[in-house]
Amino acid sequence: MPTFQTIQDRVTRRVIDLPASVTAEVPDLVNKALRTLQEMHNFKVMETEQKLLTTTVATRPLSAAVPSNFKEFRGLPYLVKNDGSTLDLLLAANRNAVLDMFPLDDPNDTGEPKLVLDPEPVDDQSTRTLEVWPFPDGLSDYTGGEYRVTVPYWRYVAVLIGGTDENWFTTNAEWYLVFQATAEAFYLDWDEARGQLWEVRAGDFAPDGRAVGEFKRVMKQDKLARLAGVQHLSFSLDAFGAQIRS
């Protein structure tokens, strides 16, 4: 399987008259390409959840901060009950969106969580802890009465550090990483013409919205991974009429 070092070696072999200053940047350029790929598309490998966060009676923040690898929410948070059943919660991106529904000056506004708020960061690193509304009442079906909330989200995979590091992207998007990092290396070497050539080979989205270049192949690979093993079900919009198949 291609490793971080494999990809770095492929980049350095493609850059003409590689100066030491550019060589030193190659690991960061590969990781930049890895990050760019994840910013452009949510790949299956980026799916994850922050599982079973607990509430505290009469306290809004959940039991753990938003993870540092958080990219964006993936659907709605949900309650997980002790019997295994689940219940979707509402999701709000700012405090003003929920103040009319749950006034801050009402200490009796308690109950089962209905909404999760993504609050204001507390520092320049965007550190924050999701909040539940209304105040938890401590009457869940778990021992102790605290509720359990699971938050699906899209993550950024860990950056590549060691030469033997590998992940889904080094295996399935090897050539995108090579081509895009090579483009950045040429730009750093003040060779804009060759940088543009390699960037075209890496690909992105065309003006009409189509995926192009190596990026298109990686997108296709991801879609195939999502569909593997999925069965197509037959359904009918009219039990007594023509059958519509999917």
Side-chain angles (χ1 to χ4, degrees), residues 11 15 22 25-26 28-30 32-33 36 176-191 194-196 198-199:
V11 172
V15 182
V22 177
E25 295 275 355
V26 168
D28 288 337
L29 298 181
V30 174
K32 180 178 185 294
T36 298
Y176 174 87
L177 299 178
V178 170
F179 294 169
Q180 185 61 37
T182 298
E184 295 288 349
F186 273 119
Y187 288 140
L188 189 59
D189 202 21
W190 292 16
D191 192 337
R194 287 190 174 86
Q196 291 170 3
W198 284 99
E199 195 159 37

Side-chain angles (χ1 to χ4, degrees), residues 15-234:
V15 182
I16 300 170
D17 298 325
L18 188 69
S21 59
V22 177
T23 301
E25 295 275 355
V26 168
D28 288 337
L29 298 181
V30 174
N31 274 304
K32 180 178 185 294
L34 175 62
R35 179 73 174 219
T36 298
L37 194 56
Q38 296 173 86
E39 289 171 348
M40 292 191 297
H41 178 70
N42 289 328
F43 292 87
K44 178 71 175 177
V45 69
M46 298 165 63
E47 291 183 4
T48 192
E49 291 182 326
Q50 195 174 17
K51 295 180 180 292
L52 301 179
L53 300 172
T54 58
T55 61
T56 302
V57 172
T59 302
R60 299 202 189 280
L62 289 168
S63 58
V66 173
S68 59
N69 65 357
F70 180 90
K71 179 187 177 185
E72 60 189 55
F73 291 102
R74 182 175 59 85
L76 294 173
Y78 56 92
L79 280 179
V80 180
K81 299 192 176 182
N82 198 26
D83 62 6
S85 62
T86 61
L87 178 66
D88 283 347
L89 303 175
L90 298 174
L91 177 63
N94 62 76
R95 195 171 301 276
N96 289 340
V98 297
L99 288 181
D100 290 340
M101 187 182 303
F102 302 101
L104 287 173
D105 58 355
D106 185 358
N108 297 316
D109 186 14
T110 64
E112 181 180 84
K114 296 180 175 63
L115 178 147
V116 172
L117 169 67
D118 188 5
E120 306 83 359
V122 298
D123 58 28
D124 293 342
Q125 301 300 319
S126 196
T127 303
R128 62 202 191 280
T129 302
L130 299 178
E131 300 179 3
V132 291
W133 296 61
F135 285 116
D137 56 15
L139 298 178
S140 81
D141 59 351
Y142 286 92
T143 301
E146 299 301 344
Y147 296 92
R148 306 296 192 273
V149 177
T150 290
V151 182
Y153 70 97
W154 298 102
R155 67 181 177 117
Y156 289 110
V157 302
V159 298
L160 301 167
I161 300 175
T164 59
D165 286 357
E166 57 185 22
N167 58 28
W168 186 90
F169 294 102
T170 61
T171 299
N172 295 278
E174 174 190 7
W175 294 107
Y176 174 87
L177 299 178
V178 170
F179 294 169
Q180 185 61 37
T182 298
E184 295 288 349
F186 273 119
Y187 288 140
L188 189 59
D189 202 21
W190 292 16
D191 192 337
E192 289 80 5
R194 287 190 174 86
Q196 291 170 3
L197 183 149
W198 284 99
E199 195 159 37
V200 169
R201 295 191 66 184
D204 196 331
F205 289 105
D208 61 3
R210 293 178 298 108
V212 296
E214 185 63 16
F215 179 66
K216 180 179 180 179
R217 189 199 61 75
V218 179
M219 289 270 287
K220 181 178 179 180
Q221 184 72 16
D222 181 60
K223 290 177 181 179
L224 291 174
R226 292 173 186 266
L227 295 174
V230 176
Q231 297 181 350
H232 292 272
L233 301 179
S234 298

